[in-house]
Amino acid sequence: MTMRKGFTLVELMIAMTLSALIFVTVSSLLVTILTANTKSRRQEAFEQVKNDLGSEFSSTLRWAQEVVIGEDDSLTVDGKVYRADGGRLTKDGQAITPEGVRVESFSVNSLSRSADLTSVKVEVELTDASFNLAQDRLVVVVSQRQTEVGGGP
Amino acid sequence: MKRGFTVIEVLIAIVMLSVTAATVFPAVGWLIIKSRQLVYDAQAASVLQEGMEASYNVLLTGWDDMRAGRTYSPQVEFAGGEQRWAMTEGEEEVETRFTRGIQVGEVCRYNETGEQADCDDDDVTLDPESKLLTGKVSWTERGEDKVITATLLVVGL
């Protein structure tokens, strides 16, 4: 009886093909999972900012006494100035958006039919600070509420 | 040495792998569908809010721009170099996916308490200073009809 020492060529080739296949599958899966993870974290950051800004503008503009839309894309609500500055949105000079999210543009349009009450459309374009390809935008429309008797139709 | 043993091992491995794959892949698909649904829900809410806010602004400018019992959709019109809200009658398509309509209704109040009432009830009076806005945004998602609504009482004194 002859003892078989080592593998045959065919066995070796099968083993190599199999391990190569497994390696490719596992590594591509790993890449997919890692990308998805970054993506979802980025998305979460965007959602957070959109939520924060949405409720900020809704609550302040709705019950504001005085709203002024500046020529330089600034918005003044009851003396507090909102403007985009260095990739962040600022309120009276204080940044109200986090570092990881870049504010590309901030624009405010007045769409009101009334002379006394404002109705503004606030548009904010966001990009990822570290990876510029990802972007998102927030559009929020708020109409100022009538709080004084005699201002209605 | 039993040489056939490795074959069984391989078979077991393949079965285990396919079971795992069969459970993981539908779950991933479901997650993708769910996240898309959330995106549409958020968009619809924003479209509805825009409609309600615009309608509030137009209504407070004058009751005549939106008549009770009719459905309107807000649009941006250009007038004298400025942009402003304008109402067109009927529902409209927004962002290709959504259909939006804002309905205006009369408000009746109980004579005694002043609370909001059904206009068919007894002892009620039509309140000329109030209107009720009912906004509706609908869309279809994977063959399923979805709708969200919101109401806003507009009091103009």
Side-chain angles (χ1 to χ4, degrees):
Chain A
M1 190 179 158
T2 48
M3 271 280 284
R4 286 176 60 183
K5 277 186 186 169
F7 306 101
T8 65
L9 182 63
V10 177
E11 281 175 338
L12 210 68
M13 280 175 71
I14 292 172
M16 277 169 66
T17 320
L18 274 173
S19 52
L21 258 173
I22 291 168
F23 176 74
V24 168
T25 324
V26 168
S27 54
S28 71
L29 205 71
L30 205 69
V31 168
T32 317
I33 290 170
L34 286 178
T35 335
N37 188 33
T38 344
K39 250 188 193 167
S40 79
R41 225 179 306 161
R42 192 184 299 144
Q43 200 54 45
E44 208 172 295
F46 279 150
E47 291 302 328
Q48 181 72 46
V49 171
K50 280 162 66 182
N51 250 328
D52 287 354
L53 293 184
S55 48
E56 168 80 25
F57 288 123
S58 299
S59 57
T60 53
L61 283 168
R62 197 162 287 156
W63 302 107
Q65 296 297 314
E66 192 193 25
V67 179
V68 182
I69 300 169
E71 294 285 314
D72 55 340
D73 275 335
S74 74
L75 172 70
T76 311
V77 184
D78 288 342
K80 296 206 163 39
V81 187
Y82 295 91
R83 65 153 54 90
D85 188 11
R88 311 274 285 272
L89 191 69
T90 59
K91 177 187 190 178
D92 272 350
Q94 295 275 324
I96 54 170
T97 53
E99 261 175 37
V101 175
R102 203 183 140 74
V103 175
E104 285 297 325
S105 72
F106 171 65
S107 66
V108 187
N109 276 304
S110 170
L111 294 168
S112 182
R113 285 182 81 87
S114 145
D116 308 316
L117 298 170
T118 58
S119 182
V120 294
K121 189 181 218 170
V122 180
E123 287 173 275
V124 187
E125 304 263 356
L126 305 166
T127 53
D128 190 270
S130 54
F131 194 69
N132 279 2
L133 286 174
Q135 52 185 25
D136 209 337
R137 72 199 296 257
L138 165 78
V139 180
V140 57
V141 176
V142 190
S143 293
Q144 193 181 0
R145 297 292 186 263
Q146 185 213 333
T147 48
E148 280 169 40
V149 173
Chain B
M1 215 178 129
K2 284 164 81 181
R3 294 227 264 143
F5 188 64
T6 48
V7 178
I8 296 168
E9 278 182 338
V10 167
L11 275 174
I12 292 171
I14 289 174
V15 169
M16 279 171 69
L17 255 176
S18 48
V19 167
T20 321
T23 40
V24 168
F25 282 116
V28 170
W30 182 82
L31 275 180
I32 291 170
I33 291 166
K34 205 75 197 160
S35 75
R36 199 172 304 157
Q37 271 177 10
L38 285 176
V39 170
Y40 290 152
D41 286 355
Q43 278 179 350
S46 150
V47 164
L48 181 61
Q49 199 212 343
E50 183 190 69
M52 298 303 276
E53 294 290 321
S55 305
Y56 178 87
N57 181 258
V58 171
L59 254 191
L60 271 196
T61 317
W63 291 140
D64 294 340
D65 286 327
M66 295 177 83
R67 294 188 179 282
R70 296 188 193 175
T71 302
Y72 293 87
S73 48
Q75 244 114 39
V76 176
E77 72 169 15
F78 293 86
E82 301 228 328
Q83 292 185 326
R84 60 175 198 178
W85 293 118
M87 289 294 155
T88 48
E89 227 181 305
E91 296 187 327
E92 70 169 332
E93 226 175 66
V94 190
E95 288 170 24
T96 65
R97 171 168 297 273
F98 306 104
T99 309
R100 175 174 65 188
I102 316 284
Q103 203 187 20
V104 193
E106 297 284 9
V107 175
C108 291
R109 295 183 184 279
Y110 287 114
N111 292 338
E112 283 181 16
T113 58
E115 276 175 53
Q116 240 178 290
D118 194 326
C119 285
D120 295 330
D121 276 4
D122 295 330
D123 296 324
V124 295
T125 320
L126 192 88
D127 178 4
E129 312 290 353
S130 305
K131 295 274 191 280
L132 186 70
L133 289 172
T134 309
K136 196 177 94 177
V137 170
S138 55
W139 71 101
T140 48
E141 196 175 283
R142 296 166 60 86
E144 197 187 328
D145 290 327
K146 301 194 98 183
V147 63
I148 52 169
T149 54
T151 55
L152 181 65
L153 180 69
V154 181
V155 182
L157 284 172

